[in-house]
Amino acid sequence: MDEFQQPLSPFEMMQALGLDYSVGALIGGTLFGIVGIYLFRKGRKDGHSPNVWVGLALMLYPLFVSSTLYTYVVGALLCGVAYYYWPLEY
């Protein structure tokens, strides 16, 4: 047994945990998470519950989706839902 093992890189550690994310999925998850934070905060401030729930979904779904295609498809659909329920009067 080798006494001096090299530490795992962050990507090797993620793969060892079963989290096989691509760079595109990480970038998409970050972008949609930022949109989710905005919707969540704006919804709580204005008392508009659809914004709160869609914002929460946008922040959490990238944790469970590792495919780049599904990351962007689900994020675009959730942004479409947020646009549909966006209040017209402020």
Side-chain angles (χ1 to χ4, degrees), residues 1-70:
M1 183 176 247
D2 188 13
E3 189 174 316
F4 300 104
Q5 293 181 350
Q6 292 290 333
L8 294 175
S9 72
F11 287 115
E12 291 171 341
M13 194 176 304
M14 285 174 49
Q15 287 177 343
L17 293 172
L19 303 172
D20 195 20
Y21 292 101
S22 67
V23 175
L26 291 174
I27 291 171
T30 302
L31 292 175
F32 287 121
I34 291 169
V35 172
I37 290 170
Y38 171 76
L39 285 172
F40 182 78
R41 292 185 66 187
K42 183 138 179 79
R44 284 194 43 143
K45 180 181 146 202
D46 296 340
H48 192 253
S49 64
N51 279 354
V52 173
W53 291 110
V54 172
L56 193 62
L58 278 169
M59 287 188 287
L60 293 178
Y61 89 92
L63 299 174
F64 303 105
V65 178
S66 61
S67 169
T68 304
L69 177 65
Y70 290 140

